[in-house]
Amino acid sequence: MKRAFIALLAIAAPVLLLVMDSQAQPQNTGVYAQAIGQANLRADDNIEARLVGEITSGVNYPVLGRSRLYPWLLLGESNTDQPKGWVFETLVVVSGDINRVPFTDYVIDQSASIEPTAGATGRLLTATATKAPPTSTPTVGVYGVSGVVAGEVNIRYGPGIEYPRAGVAYESDRFEVTGYHTQYPWVRIRYPEAAGGQAWIASDLLEISGNIFNTAAISQTRFSLPSFTPTPAAIRASGINGERAQALGSDMQILANDLWNLFLSSRFDPQTSRLGALFLMDLSSGEAFAFGDEYAFSGTSLNKIAILARLYHTLDAPPAIETATDILNTMICSENAATNRLLEVIGGGNAYYGADAVTAFYQALGLTRSFLIAPFTTIGTPPPPPQPLVFPETAADQAKTSPDPSNQLTVVEIGAALANIYQCAYGSGGALGERFGDAISPRECRQMLHIMSNNTVDALLKSGVPADTRVAHKHGWIADTHGNAALFFTPGGDYVMAMMLFQPEWLNFQESLPLFAEASRRVYNHYNPDQPQPAGREWFIPDANSCDYFGDPLVVDLLQARWDD
């Protein structure tokens, strides 16, 4: 049932009603809309429809259609005019004559989600989602109006995202509605956990039953806030390899706060089920900070950085041509079959022993919350392990992100792995030199960075810096987790940045990729204030199915040891 939240219009003169066939492809009408801050997009013109994305201020989207009965607008993609999603009208500013926009019942395909592939357009994958019915029906109070939460939402002390959070509500939670704001699309609810027993939720995130205009009309724009008990700092100075952290300078602390607020404004918040983590280390001063490092994430393909380092620990000569090809197909194409062959080289013919050796390598560096205990998944039945697998317990939270039990990392430790390679390549040797002696040489460490600098994935953190910046990085993603660890060589200084994002079941790249780029852009501009990057670039992810480095000149680089760049 559609939500009854309709403003009545007094029509003073006859108007021509334009109606669009619900099956017809909507067309550009010359009318555009821009978000007031941030707004959700849905597959249909009601709050029960599946969330298909979001828009933020700064971009004009063509208005392709409007609902006959409800204040919802159908928006198109800004560059193609293809239908993008329905938005609640009060969440956008419209430019142009809205009467030129036809009415439509057009519904966005609710079976599609987007994952990046070759180019910047992505491909459609089947995804399913079901909405559970309300689990309880408490009293709706004196006004007879209640709202059921359509998904996980923040409850705030005032009608706007700038107000502090009073709590978090989850799908199917029901609240008594006690008022509505006359200027903002927010409603007041009864919420005993908040000071004063009242709090606010954005109205488009509720399925409201009853006449909302029977509740209290609230027009004030300033709301007093309760006194808050200080909470532990989310941002922590970090050390690597078990070393003590340096205190952060004021500029680094400002950057850390800025990035933390960026994550929160993008709704990656550890107090909800959707969260992110970030690590940044200045490779000159050693200053480093992180947030979200208490959580273990699925290692995805990022743990291939540790596989690469452990492989060079094993090799006592330049790799054979087959191994060199597997190295490139592992680190650039992210091919799991090639990765497992490298694990076999490390493990003396057994990939499980190779995985154990990677975990031991982590531990020898003082990195005790990251591990790999099994080969990567490939097509076909994997060989059985030589003994029953024992899934390690670490000091990290191994429940919050439902990480892969056999392949895990923390954001600080994957960043530390890159920092160790850099220190080995260009410094005094660092922990790799101290703890592995002659097993890994500076030349080999430079070769590792040369390999990762040739990664053709021009997205994630890399898309936040100028295109000609040298970036040695490894990407990795699965359905619910997206990650990137990168080493940046910039005019203003070299640094390591690692970032992980998680959302239960499915994380949409339309939400994750812009955040990777923007976080990276802000860090780059911190180091290069005289030559800042004005905006994130268009991203590009090559087709992994056609990625193969057999016979590539880069293989010859590895065989002939031409890696001193």
Side-chain angles (χ1 to χ4, degrees):
M1 179 178 180
K2 297 179 184 284
R3 178 163 55 97
F5 193 94
I6 309 171
L8 300 179
L9 302 178
I11 302 177
V15 296
L16 176 63
L17 297 181
L18 302 176
V19 181
M20 181 195 305
D21 184 339
S22 64
Q23 302 302 317
Q25 178 70 24
Q27 303 296 317
N28 192 320
T29 62
V31 179
Y32 291 85
Q34 184 176 146
I36 304 173
Q38 179 176 299
N40 288 330
L41 295 179
R42 297 192 178 275
D44 200 359
D45 61 347
N46 66 88
I47 195 63
E48 290 184 340
R50 187 176 67 86
L51 186 68
V52 295
E54 63 182 28
I55 58 174
T56 56
S57 60
V59 178
N60 280 318
Y61 296 92
V63 180
L64 306 181
R66 52 183 170 140
S67 173
R68 289 181 176 84
L69 300 176
Y70 298 89
W72 288 74
L73 302 176
L74 175 63
L75 302 187
E77 296 283 359
S78 60
N79 55 347
T80 65
D81 293 343
Q82 293 297 309
K84 183 177 181 68
W86 287 87
V87 66
F88 194 64
E89 188 171 355
T90 58
L91 300 179
V92 296
V93 175
V94 175
S95 57
D97 184 3
I98 195 68
N99 292 318
R100 296 175 55 188
V101 178
F103 295 109
T104 181
D105 295 324
Y106 192 92
V107 178
I108 302 295
D109 179 8
Q110 297 204 47
S111 65
S113 292
I114 294 179
E115 177 183 342
T117 182
T121 58
R123 62 185 174 88
L124 298 181
L125 298 178
T126 300
T128 58
T130 58
K131 182 179 184 301
T135 55
S136 60
T137 309
T139 176
V140 294
V142 296
Y143 298 111
V145 181
S146 66
V148 176
V149 176
E152 186 175 277
V153 300
N154 287 319
I155 301 171
R156 297 193 178 273
Y157 279 101
I161 61 173
E162 69 274 15
Y163 287 94
R165 179 172 47 203
V168 177
Y170 299 91
E171 184 173 12
S172 299
D173 285 350
R174 184 187 292 271
F175 297 96
E176 175 191 345
V177 177
T178 63
Y180 69 96
H181 203 279
T182 59
Q183 301 178 51
Y184 311 130
W186 288 68
V187 294
R188 190 180 66 186
I189 62 169
R190 190 172 305 283
Y191 193 64
E193 293 85 347
Q198 306 273 4
W200 292 81
I201 293 181
S203 56
D204 75 324
L205 301 177
L206 291 175
E207 179 188 351
I208 296 177
S209 300
N211 188 347
I212 197 167
F213 299 110
N214 287 340
T215 66
I218 302 163
S219 59
Q220 70 184 83
T221 56
R222 292 188 178 184
F223 294 80
S224 58
L225 301 177
S227 299
F228 296 105
T229 301
T231 56
I235 303 165
R236 298 182 179 88
S238 297
I240 63 173
N241 309 117
E243 300 169 357
R244 185 174 181 178
Q246 295 186 34
L248 297 182
S250 58
D251 289 346
M252 200 69 152
Q253 186 66 58
I254 290 171
L255 176 62
N257 293 339
D258 180 50
L259 294 171
W260 170 246
N261 289 328
L262 173 65
F263 271 57
L264 294 184
S265 66
S266 301
R267 298 187 297 111
F268 285 92
D269 185 337
Q271 293 195 42
T272 69
S273 62
R274 170 172 143 140
L275 70 149
L278 182 142
F279 169 75
L280 179 69
M281 182 175 185
D282 186 308
L283 291 167
S284 175
S285 68
E287 281 183 286
F289 67 81
F291 50 80
D293 185 52
E294 63 268 37
Y295 303 110
F297 290 85
S298 291
T300 65
S301 288
L302 268 66
N303 260 339
K304 293 174 184 179
I305 296 172
I307 293 174
L308 180 67
R310 183 59 181 83
L311 175 70
Y312 274 95
H313 177 278
T314 300
L315 298 175
D316 55 10
I321 187 170
E322 297 84 3
T323 301
T325 303
D326 282 339
I327 289 172
L328 298 175
N329 285 341
T330 292
M331 301 306 297
I332 299 176
C333 305
S334 229
E335 181 191 324
N336 287 347
T339 305
N340 291 344
R341 288 193 291 270
L342 297 184
L343 289 174
E344 290 175 358
V345 173
I346 296 170
N350 188 299
Y352 286 93
Y353 291 156
D356 289 341
V358 171
T359 299
F361 181 78
Y362 265 132
Q363 293 173 344
L365 290 171
L367 308 176
T368 59
R369 297 184 295 167
S370 301
F371 59 81
L372 181 70
I373 63 169
F376 283 76
T377 300
T378 57
I379 297 174
T381 303
Q387 62 270 329
L389 294 179
V390 177
F391 301 108
E393 293 184 5
T394 74
D397 181 332
Q398 294 177 279
K400 181 81 171 179
T401 69
S402 304
D404 183 336
S406 65
N407 179 13
Q408 295 183 18
L409 58 79
T410 65
V411 72
V412 165
E413 293 193 347
I414 196 61
L418 269 181
N420 284 324
I421 296 172
Y422 178 92
Q423 291 167 349
C424 163
Y426 301 113
S428 58
L432 285 178
E434 293 173 3
R435 303 178 193 188
F436 296 103
D438 296 332
I440 301 179
S441 69
R443 180 177 291 272
E444 289 175 313
C445 290
R446 289 194 293 273
Q447 188 174 32
M448 295 181 216
L449 296 179
H450 178 64
I451 293 164
M452 288 185 279
S453 296
N454 280 277
N455 191 335
T456 54
V457 173
D458 190 20
L460 301 159
L461 296 174
K462 189 177 180 182
S463 62
V465 304
D468 60 354
T469 304
R470 184 186 176 200
V471 182
H473 75 107
K474 185 72 194 80
H475 58 284
W477 55 71
I478 54 176
D480 59 13
T481 303
H482 301 169
N484 197 202
L487 199 159
F488 295 82
F489 299 83
T490 80
D494 300 343
Y495 55 89
V496 164
M497 188 173 179
M499 182 169 155
M500 303 295 295
L501 297 177
F502 169 81
Q503 177 170 302
E505 297 184 7
W506 184 264
L507 175 56
N508 196 317
F509 280 89
Q510 287 183 321
E511 297 185 80
S512 67
L513 289 178
L515 181 54
F516 276 100
E518 178 59 18
S520 181
R521 187 186 73 87
R522 295 188 186 194
V523 174
Y524 179 87
N525 289 349
H526 169 82
Y527 280 90
N528 301 275
D530 296 332
Q531 297 177 307
Q533 174 74 350
R537 301 179 286 104
E538 290 187 3
W539 54 267
F540 176 74
I541 297 178
D543 181 6
N545 293 325
S546 61
C547 185
D548 186 357
Y549 277 79
F550 179 78
D552 191 274
L554 192 53
V555 173
V556 180
D557 277 3
L558 305 194
L559 299 180
Q560 296 183 354
R562 294 206 307 259
W563 52 72
D564 285 319
D565 58 354

